[in-house]
Amino acid sequence: MLKKLLAVLVICASPLLACEVKDDAAYTAAIRKATTETFFSTELVDHLPWSSCVPAPDTYLGHIIGAPDVLDHVEQINGYMRVLARNSPRVRVFSMGRSEEGREMILVAIADEATIQHLDQYRNITARLADPRGLSKSAAESLIQQGKPIYWADGSIHSTESGSPEMLMELAYRLAVEETPLIDTIRKNAIVLLTPVIGTDGRDRFVDTYMYAKRHPEATAYPLTWWGHYVGHDNNRDGITLSLDLSKNVTRTYLNWHATVMHDLHESIPYLYISTGTGPYNAWLDPIVTSEWQQLAYYEVAELTRRGVVGVWTHGFYDGWAPNYMIWAATGHNAIGRFYETFGNRGADTQVRTLQPSDTSREWFRPNPPLAKVNWSARDNINMQQSGVLLGLYNVASHGQEFLRNFYWKSQRAVAKARTEGPAAWVLPADDPRPGDQARLLNVLISQAIEISRANKAFSALVPNVESAAIGGPAKPAGGKKSPESKSEEEKPKDTPATTTESFPAGSYIIRMDQPYSRLADTLLDTQYFSTKDPRPYDDTGWTLGALANVKTVRVMDTSVLNVPMTRLTGAITLPGGVQGTGRTTYLINNNGDSALATFRFHLVSVPMETAEEPFTVDGHKLNRGSFIIANAQRGTIEAAARDSGVTVFATDAKLSVARHSLDAPRIALLHNWTSTQQDGWFRVTLEQLRIPYTYIADTKVRETQNLRGLFDVIIVPPISGGLASMLQGIPMEGAPMPWKNTPETPDFFAPGLDSSDDIRGGLGYSGLASLERFVHDGGLLIAVGESAALPVEGGMTRAVSLRRPQKLVCPGDVLLAHVEDQQSPIAYGYGEKLYVYYSENPVMNISLGFGGGETSESRSSGRGSATDPDVIQGRPYTAPDNTPKRTPRERELYVPEEARAYGSWRIPPANELPRVILRFAESGNLLVSGLLDGASDLAEKPAVVDIPHGQGHVVLFANNPMWRNETSGSYFLLFNAMMNYRHLDVGRGPVKPVNGAGSQAK
Ligand SMILES: [Zn+2]
């Protein structure tokens, strides 16, 4: 192969025009052989030209694209693209950066020679159209006429969807060498960008598993335990916070080129679905893009259908609502993000595939549906994908000026947003009690190229007269009882004015909506309402970032805010941090629930710290319950850690009398299994960003470890689906041992930060469950999130708690309101009365001592009178019914009927082992902040975070997910508090007792 390649390299010293191009008969024959049906191909891709200058893919790879049973690693794919660039003046390759594990992502640019020589000029044109401030209409039109549309197609963000990286190599070659009117039009009138592999780490691991299975058909096939370094399929849900390297690289590259169209290639459903989606579409986007999606999709559907291709359709898949997909690098920046789903085989097998009736039914949007049964090959997939992309390229190249004009209009209308539909701006007040997480949130927006300014002086503006995390309004005081004002606010008359004037201090952050990316800022910060009448959503329905970050964001409609003197930030926000005050004996940090406090604590692992069990005041500083107290430390040490983490520390010599206990930097383990690591991946992302050390430990390792308590203080079990049985069983103990290690056959399985094992079979097993129980019993803290609550609950470590699959609840990824019920618990330190949390149809936690809930019927019996006018039993004097006691949710949960104490006392745990509800979901009417919510009564007033003592230790259960996609920084500190106070979680536990069934508890 190498020899052949060298020969080609020598020959092609001559210019391209002198190259000979003819049909590559052998390659063409191989394509036709690998294509199972002519209706899975078109005249665009059923052959390949041979060029005397540029080596075809088979020359370099040793196989044609779409050959059965073979896939290529990233190094081969990138290597081939660079061969093209070296041998064709129509091709250039740029590096986009690297993945977490160091694999390169590349951008291949293809156009005619003249265009390729002036790429910078074309990039400057799209950049200017992207920010049309100060650009006259005639100047814009002139740029549109000179410009060329840029079409960026990218492969395999999803590692198991493995055909597109192969296809893109052939497409690149074809675009570089083929001479047809269609290809000429594309090369001349557009700039093609290709990224063959988005998820480079996952690509190599998937190819390892696939090729291993090909070489060892007798062995149990490996699961793709890790795709990327952190997450699997969710690498296409990182479009909001850009936490993964691939998202950062893609967004940076987009902003460098302003591609007119970005086109993701996915492989899941038959045979070729072209994105438009069912709606509801994201409501913050310019409606122009909706038309563009349809125009592009219908052109390709029509052109492929006319060529006799079967099963090409649009509309009936995916919604278009959430802004978290990778294509939002384009969509969120006024360009067009779109995608394909072709039929994939998880590899390159040729297989008979049988479809479900739901895939083959004829619908208005699928007049030419897929067939019930076909023989399907990798080459079929390549043919469909490549034909579609070529048609898409041709369409955009043929209407380049229209698409560039649309792009200009969308950019211009985004700048006009402040004064047309509004808001004028979003404001984040400078006096937010949690400046660290405020900065984290703002830095997410900055990484999205959203412009942020700071007010040079204090100002006031009209804001909506409602209290909401998302749209501002007067904030309730944090902590303590409700103030008299807040009470009167609830009772305010209906004619309250719609707006009120709010004052903002100097230094407040202003996100002007007269900027090009105003729509992205608005969609991320606003509240979302997803109607129950709409089609089932495809992903999260709510994401309000301010609410999830527990940071105040104010939606200001008043355009006078645009005239406030302000200074635009030029880079990311870093908080200085440091020590204030001249004291020498004691250092204090107010616990405001800011994530950076945990960074600080773990930075100084060996420095003893304490935490206050009550609020207190020192030297005029008011400190919340849970504030950090550090005595006898070196000022220099504290100062360095404070600067490093951006935390403000007060030094004092005052003598403190507040009750306190030690604040630990515990040894943390994060549990994973060997089948799916995605959920723990998001925990790893956040813990590593905040530099909180942990040990990544496998279920199989837990099974083999007798004394977990000797190794760890806290074990976190992120959501693991499948229930207790599946956790215990893991990968069944069948066949031969399955080592997870790097070998010559599987060189990409392991990377630092991942895990390895001699055998990944066997799950937790009963001995693993016993090890975990012993761990808690001996004083450890087990934190279980979402579905993983089944492990301690159904594994018998908790009393009086059960899990229930809600029957009516529809809550697919929402932002919900929760109340902090037990402010004395260390888990709630630093929090106020309420918190907005992320929840998505996890099991609902139920607490009951087993005597019924003591719930009273909310409706009366049928009878005389009205709902409130009491019934009268006939034939006897009227007696008022018993005053049915009205019980709080907690009282109902701990209810014991009087008579049951005689026969059922064994069921009642001692008071110090009763479940303690720290956080509780709000009442039905107040529960929803953002998203789709139906059947709210299934969840309303149910526990969200529960602490249950067990032996010397504790189990803490989360129904909400406190570490969801790096978006929920407002909830992180619930976890951190639990960890740092793991030895003192009983602090503040009130005299809680089971609730007697007699009427004495009536309120
Ligand atoms: Zn996909």
Side-chain angles (χ1 to χ4, degrees):
M1 184 185 83
L2 194 61
K3 211 183 226 173
K4 205 167 170 185
L5 186 63
L6 287 175
V8 170
L9 290 174
V10 173
I11 292 165
C12 79
S14 54
L16 196 68
L17 283 177
C19 296
E20 185 194 349
V21 176
K22 60 179 186 186
D23 183 54
D24 187 333
Y27 198 111
T28 298
I31 288 177
R32 294 185 182 178
K33 184 165 175 242
T35 301
T36 63
E37 300 284 356
T38 51
F39 54 70
F40 290 143
S41 189
T42 68
E43 86 289 358
L44 304 173
V45 300
D46 66 354
H47 63 280
L48 198 74
W50 175 89
S51 161
S52 61
C53 299
V54 187
D58 59 335
T59 334
Y60 184 82
L61 302 169
H63 61 84
I64 70 152
I65 296 300
D69 304 328
V70 61
L71 293 174
D72 296 293
H73 282 95
V74 173
E75 198 179 329
Q76 273 72 41
I77 295 165
N78 291 355
Y80 178 65
M81 293 299 199
R82 288 203 157 95
V83 166
L84 291 183
R86 278 199 295 276
N87 290 280
S88 170
R90 293 167 171 167
V91 181
R92 285 187 67 189
V93 172
F94 302 89
S95 183
M96 290 169 61
R98 290 183 182 270
S99 66
E100 284 82 0
E101 295 175 13
R103 293 178 182 86
E104 189 184 22
M105 294 170 67
I106 61 168
L107 186 74
V108 183
I110 307 169
D112 65 19
E113 294 87 322
T115 307
I116 282 287
Q117 281 166 22
H118 298 98
L119 284 178
D120 285 348
Q121 180 189 317
Y122 293 106
R123 281 196 303 119
N124 289 338
I125 290 174
T126 51
R128 190 67 186 95
L129 295 174
D131 183 359
R133 288 173 291 188
L135 183 67
S136 72
K137 276 193 174 151
S138 59
E141 187 55 33
S142 161
L143 289 174
I144 289 163
Q145 293 305 327
Q146 298 162 43
K148 294 195 179 186
I150 300 175
Y151 195 115
W152 184 10
D154 62 87
S156 201
I157 182 170
H158 286 155
S159 308
T160 57
E161 302 163 16
S162 56
S164 52
E166 308 284 334
M167 184 284 279
L168 289 168
M169 288 191 276
E170 186 175 287
L171 177 64
Y173 173 79
R174 191 183 297 282
L175 287 169
V177 306
E178 187 155 5
E179 303 292 348
T180 65
L182 181 134
I183 301 266
D184 275 344
T185 302
I186 296 168
R187 267 196 312 252
K188 188 157 168 264
N189 298 333
I191 296 166
V192 182
L193 301 180
L194 306 177
T195 295
V197 187
I198 293 284
T200 50
D201 295 336
R203 169 70 182 188
D204 276 355
R205 258 190 289 282
F206 179 72
V207 174
D208 279 9
T209 61
Y210 180 74
M211 296 311 293
Y212 184 90
K214 287 284 137 195
R215 290 185 203 106
H216 301 276
E218 77 296 345
T220 308
Y222 275 101
L224 192 59
T225 306
W226 291 275
W227 298 24
H229 191 73
Y230 294 108
V231 301
H233 193 268
D234 262 13
N235 61 6
N236 197 28
R237 301 294 184 274
D238 185 40
I240 291 179
T241 63
L242 309 179
S243 303
L244 309 173
D245 285 348
L246 65 87
S247 311
K248 294 185 178 97
N249 293 338
V250 164
T251 301
R252 196 186 324 108
T253 303
Y254 171 82
L255 293 168
N256 195 23
W257 289 83
H258 298 97
T260 322
V261 180
M262 183 175 172
H263 186 158
D264 267 10
L265 297 166
H266 292 267
E267 294 162 31
S268 65
I269 51 172
Y271 295 122
L272 170 53
Y273 164 79
I274 300 178
S275 68
T276 47
T278 59
Y281 292 146
N282 183 282
W284 293 261
L285 289 176
D286 193 314
I288 290 172
V289 77
T290 304
S291 305
E292 292 177 317
W293 286 329
Q294 319 302 320
Q295 196 270 337
L296 290 168
Y298 275 105
Y299 176 79
E300 291 152 27
V301 172
E303 286 294 314
L304 288 165
T305 302
R306 159 171 99 67
R307 286 167 166 83
V309 178
V310 169
V312 184
W313 54 289
T314 185
H315 174 76
F317 176 79
Y318 161 83
D319 52 16
W321 177 248
N324 54 14
Y325 304 93
M326 193 184 65
I327 48 175
W328 268 72
T331 307
H333 297 96
N334 301 326
I336 304 167
R338 61 192 306 251
F339 67 92
Y340 279 180
E341 298 281 352
T342 50
F343 202 33
N345 273 13
R346 272 188 81 97
D349 293 5
T350 305
Q351 274 177 347
V352 173
R353 300 292 298 268
T354 307
L355 300 182
Q356 301 296 316
S358 59
D359 290 322
T360 59
S361 62
R362 186 154 54 84
E363 309 286 349
W364 69 262
F365 53 82
R366 193 166 57 196
N368 179 12
L371 304 164
K373 194 172 183 179
V374 289
N375 195 28
W376 178 261
S377 71
R379 182 67 211 188
D380 295 337
N381 178 35
I382 302 290
N383 292 339
M384 301 278 281
Q385 248 180 18
Q386 192 175 174
S387 299
V389 172
L390 280 166
L391 290 165
L393 289 170
Y394 177 71
N395 182 19
V396 171
S398 305
H399 301 91
Q401 276 54 50
E402 290 166 41
F403 283 103
L404 287 175
R405 198 172 294 115
N406 280 355
F407 178 58
Y408 162 69
W409 280 339
K410 285 182 288 181
S411 306
Q412 200 192 35
R413 282 155 59 96
V415 173
K417 175 179 167 68
R419 292 188 167 82
T420 48
E421 68 269 32
W426 284 87
V427 177
L428 279 71
D431 55 359
D432 194 289
R434 305 173 70 250
D437 282 322
Q438 184 190 56
R440 277 174 69 87
L441 168 59
L442 288 165
N443 285 337
V444 164
L445 303 182
I446 290 169
S447 69
Q448 294 276 15
I450 292 164
E451 297 170 3
I452 294 170
S453 301
R454 294 197 82 168
N456 296 343
K457 56 175 196 176
F459 66 99
S460 55
L462 287 174
V463 301
N465 195 17
V466 285
E467 195 204 347
S468 155
I471 51 177
K476 281 183 186 172
K481 295 273 174 262
K482 280 182 185 172
S483 68
E485 294 79 32
S486 67
K487 200 166 217 174
S488 62
E489 192 184 294
E490 280 166 12
E491 291 155 7
K492 66 191 165 195
K494 282 187 178 149
D495 58 354
T496 304
T499 55
T500 183
T501 300
E502 185 162 354
S503 300
F504 300 97
S508 291
Y509 296 96
I510 300 174
I511 307 166
R512 305 174 64 102
M513 291 292 106
D514 57 354
Q515 62 166 301
Y517 306 138
S518 60
R519 298 189 189 287
L520 182 57
D522 199 30
T523 186
L524 296 180
L525 297 173
D526 211 348
T527 44
Q528 291 82 43
Y529 179 77
F530 194 110
S531 167
T532 54
K533 293 190 208 114
D534 271 319
R536 267 298 275 200
Y538 195 71
D539 198 70
D540 281 350
T541 52
W543 51 80
T544 308
L545 286 191
L548 289 178
N550 198 12
V551 163
K552 185 171 176 178
T553 55
V554 185
R555 191 168 197 258
V556 179
M557 293 296 290
D558 179 357
T559 52
S560 73
V561 69
L562 300 170
N563 302 323
V564 171
M566 62 181 92
T567 306
R568 186 163 151 207
L569 298 181
T570 52
I573 300 166
T574 50
L575 296 183
V579 180
Q580 297 176 356
T582 54
R584 291 162 172 277
T585 56
T586 307
Y587 300 92
L588 302 172
I589 302 173
N590 183 36
N591 189 338
N592 53 9
D594 218 330
S595 309
L597 269 60
T599 306
F600 176 89
R601 178 65 194 97
F602 284 90
H603 189 97
L604 297 177
V605 169
S606 57
V607 174
M609 298 188 192
E610 292 180 308
T611 185
E613 295 176 0
E614 292 299 333
F616 63 106
T617 302
V618 169
D619 303 344
H621 291 294
K622 284 187 175 171
L623 291 110
N624 293 329
R625 185 181 287 119
S627 291
F628 295 14
I629 303 169
I630 311 160
N632 304 317
Q634 294 288 328
R635 187 177 180 113
T637 308
I638 301 295
E639 179 88 45
R643 285 175 193 270
D644 174 77
S645 49
V647 165
T648 300
V649 180
F650 305 107
T652 181
D653 290 325
K655 194 155 167 51
L656 303 179
S657 56
V658 65
R660 67 193 88 163
H661 61 259
S662 72
L663 183 76
D664 295 309
R667 300 165 298 170
I668 300 164
L670 186 68
L671 183 76
H672 75 84
N673 67 11
W674 289 100
T675 53
S676 172
T677 58
Q678 171 154 292
Q679 292 300 327
D680 71 63
W682 286 119
F683 281 64
R684 285 184 284 132
V685 165
T686 298
L687 292 173
E688 289 176 27
Q689 271 190 6
L690 294 170
R691 290 176 283 149
I692 294 174
Y694 67 90
T695 302
Y696 198 31
I697 182 172
D699 52 0
T700 46
K701 182 84 177 166
V702 167
R703 187 185 71 222
E704 293 156 5
T705 306
Q706 293 294 313
N707 181 15
L708 286 168
R709 186 68 192 94
L711 300 172
F712 306 113
D713 305 311
V714 177
I715 298 177
I716 305 172
V717 193
I720 295 175
S721 60
L724 180 63
S726 148
M727 281 189 253
L728 295 183
Q729 289 158 5
I731 297 171
M733 269 288 187
E734 290 158 3
M738 297 172 68
W740 188 275
K741 291 191 162 164
N742 286 352
T743 68
E745 284 191 319
T746 59
D748 305 292
F749 272 21
F750 175 78
L754 304 185
D755 202 356
S756 61
S757 175
D758 292 332
D759 190 1
I760 63 176
R761 300 170 309 154
L764 269 179
Y766 295 110
S767 60
L769 181 62
S771 289
L772 287 171
E773 191 279 332
R774 200 175 313 116
F775 167 79
V776 179
H777 194 271
D778 293 349
L781 166 63
L782 183 71
I783 297 174
V785 179
E787 291 195 79
S788 291
L791 183 59
V793 172
E794 285 158 16
M797 295 179 221
T798 62
R799 291 176 71 179
V801 182
S802 61
L803 302 173
R804 209 174 53 191
R805 260 295 150 202
Q807 298 299 307
K808 291 176 295 182
L809 182 68
V810 180
C811 185
D814 286 33
V815 184
L816 299 180
L817 175 63
H819 297 296
V820 178
E821 176 162 302
D822 191 336
Q823 298 203 9
Q824 310 275 325
S825 163
I827 297 172
Y829 283 174
Y831 283 98
E833 291 175 348
K834 62 180 188 183
L835 183 66
Y836 301 99
V837 298
Y838 173 86
Y839 174 85
S840 187
E841 297 179 0
N842 280 331
V844 170
M845 283 193 270
N846 228 36
I847 295 179
S848 165
L849 297 179
F851 303 102
E855 291 181 57
T856 50
S857 171
E858 290 187 1
S859 57
R860 50 159 282 189
S861 308
S862 302
R864 74 149 297 279
S866 69
T868 50
D869 184 15
D871 199 1
V872 176
I873 309 289
Q874 300 299 302
R876 71 185 204 202
Y878 175 72
T879 51
D882 272 357
N883 238 350
T884 315
K886 185 140 177 73
R887 299 191 177 93
T888 64
R890 179 164 184 84
E891 287 166 342
R892 291 202 297 272
E893 286 164 355
L894 301 181
Y895 171 80
V896 179
E898 240 175 330
E899 64 276 16
R901 292 198 180 269
Y903 67 81
S905 58
W906 61 271
R907 282 197 206 163
I908 307 168
N912 62 359
E913 288 182 23
L914 286 172
R916 188 175 177 188
V917 177
I918 315 301
L919 196 69
R920 187 182 292 282
F921 290 109
E923 326 67 60
S924 289
N926 295 326
L927 190 56
L928 179 66
V929 176
S930 278
L932 162 62
L933 181 62
D934 201 9
S937 59
D938 273 355
L939 185 66
E941 299 184 67
K942 294 292 182 195
V945 179
V946 182
D947 169 22
I948 308 114
H950 178 74
Q952 301 298 305
H954 284 253
V955 171
V956 172
L957 306 174
F958 283 81
N960 61 305
N961 188 336
M963 283 192 175
W964 177 247
R965 294 176 176 168
N966 217 18
E967 294 169 16
T968 54
S969 56
S971 299
Y972 295 165
F973 227 77
L974 295 167
L975 271 180
F976 300 149
N977 275 331
M979 296 195 257
M980 295 187 294
N981 294 282
Y982 81 99
R983 291 192 293 141
H984 302 277
L985 289 176
D986 283 326
V987 167
R989 177 178 266 272
V992 180
K993 287 186 293 210
V995 177
N996 203 301
S1000 56
Q1001 277 81 17
K1003 282 183 185 168

